[in-house]
Amino acid sequence: MCFPFLSDPSHLTRPRSSFVVRQGIRLRIFACTGFVMLFISQCQSQFRPPQVDITEQDTIGYGFIQQQDNEIENRSYLEPFFQKLYKQRIGGGQKINIVHIGDSHILGNFMTEEVRKRLQNAFGDAGRGMIFPYKLAGSNGPRDYLVENNSGVRWSGNNCQKDLRPITNYGLSGFTLESNNATAKLTFRLRDTTTAETHSFTKVTIFQKRSALQYDLNVRDEVTNQDAQILYDGDYSRSFYFDRPVGQVSIVADKATSQQKLLTLDGISLENELSGVIYHSIGVNGAKYMDYARAKYFAEQVGDLHPDLIILSMGTNEAQGHTDRNYLYRSIELTVDALLRHSPNAFILLTTPADSYLRGKGFNPNMADVAVVIRRFARDKGYALWDLYAFSGGENSAANWKTKGLMTSDSVHYTRAGYATQGKLLYQGLVKAYNDYVLSRP
């Protein structure tokens, strides 16, 4: 097919020089070689081996962490989740939503970014997931996207940890942001923190509690001059789609009636048109399990993300005081039950926190108790467990994190290298369990 002249004797009668013939052969060979290489590369990208290699870049080199013990407990419970990953790995076409919920360790995105980028490299990148304009709400937040308050209006915000009422009105992010200015406008742009490259997306889901007081919204990209079209309109979220991928999105208040006077945001999710993993990370400084249990709309809006796996990573703040074991157990139970009520197809993975100091001043005797309760709850209910506390040294192991430069000066939070270490470890645990599932398939 590539060299029709070889089977066509008529070329012998053509008045062409040998040089021209040789040049033609070279060009045809070059073209065919390029086609074959392109075909092979496409095959390799579409038909990958089911198992995922854990590379040297995915491992850590700290002796006090027992990587050989880094396992997901009760991983057979997660087999339906791994089956979906398997289908995506070998054939594509799957959207896999992971929702990771926690405290300040999760809010900064340093740990979850490590897990996200590795899972998306292995199974495909379907989008960034949940984001929020944390700075406008008076908090720190992730650095892999930019938020511009284009209109320069004032915003007010709060979060579920600071609000001490028995039942609070917080939703997806655990934060809420509000403006009564009819010209309110926010622009969001994803960026790679290493290269500053802008990432594109096509779907924007805005989470807010709808009421007659809420402004209508225009969702648009001024770079490509596109207005997104609304395709889903619910009580707690609305999804908008762009015809062509965009690198940024502006959310603009539109006062359509005299009754409208507010724009509130509970969270925003950004996705692209590809199959693969969406890794949503949700965190609030100082958060405990009960803070999410008290948030009236939190579990309901998490349900609108259609999670396949929900990871719960808390306990550090419960350990900063003496939290009654039964109260902590009940707090976890209330949180998980609410999440599963609205996400009945999701699977639960609980994690224990790495050790840290008591208010930054020394050994914390409460950390072991918190880990015990989280373990007991996961085992009682049959959920999956990732016991970071145990395999990273357990009681008083914060000294090891500290001496290796993996903890900050407050001795409660970790450095960027410390969070990267934890992220790599969680990725290892998930991939080991997934690979075991692949090997056990008939």
Side-chain angles (χ1 to χ4, degrees), residues 199-307:
H199 290 181
S200 61
F201 50 92
T202 51
K203 180 182 177 183
V204 180
T205 301
I206 299 171
F207 295 84
Q208 56 179 189
K209 297 171 284 294
R210 302 290 300 283
S211 74
L213 300 178
Q214 290 279 351
Y215 294 129
D216 286 355
L217 294 178
N218 289 323
V219 178
R220 66 185 326 271
D221 172 37
E222 294 168 347
V223 175
T224 60
N225 196 30
Q226 288 188 81
D227 290 303
Q229 302 302 310
I230 187 166
L231 290 184
Y232 172 77
D233 193 355
D235 291 335
Y236 301 106
S237 67
R238 285 182 281 178
S239 292
F240 298 80
Y241 286 83
F242 288 101
D243 289 336
R244 304 184 308 280
V246 299
Q248 66 178 46
V249 61
S250 293
I251 299 171
V252 187
D254 180 13
K255 185 176 175 67
T257 71
S258 59
Q259 192 177 6
Q260 294 175 344
K261 60 179 182 180
L262 288 174
L263 171 58
T264 62
L265 291 174
D266 294 324
I268 297 159
S269 180
L270 303 180
E271 303 176 32
N272 59 46
E273 70 282 4
L274 303 176
S275 63
V277 171
I278 306 171
Y279 198 103
H280 309 272
S281 56
I282 299 169
V284 177
N285 285 330
K288 303 175 182 178
Y289 276 99
M290 189 56 78
D291 294 321
Y292 289 110
R294 293 184 300 111
K296 183 177 180 180
Y297 301 100
F298 176 71
E300 189 149 5
Q301 290 186 339
V302 167
D304 284 346
L305 294 175
H306 309 292

Side-chain angles (χ1 to χ4, degrees), residues 108-126:
N109 189 46
F110 295 123
M111 175 190 179
T112 50
E113 183 178 40
E114 295 293 329
V115 189
R116 181 186 297 111
K117 68 184 181 183
R118 285 172 167 76
L119 286 177
Q120 290 182 339
N121 182 60
F123 297 99
D125 180 351

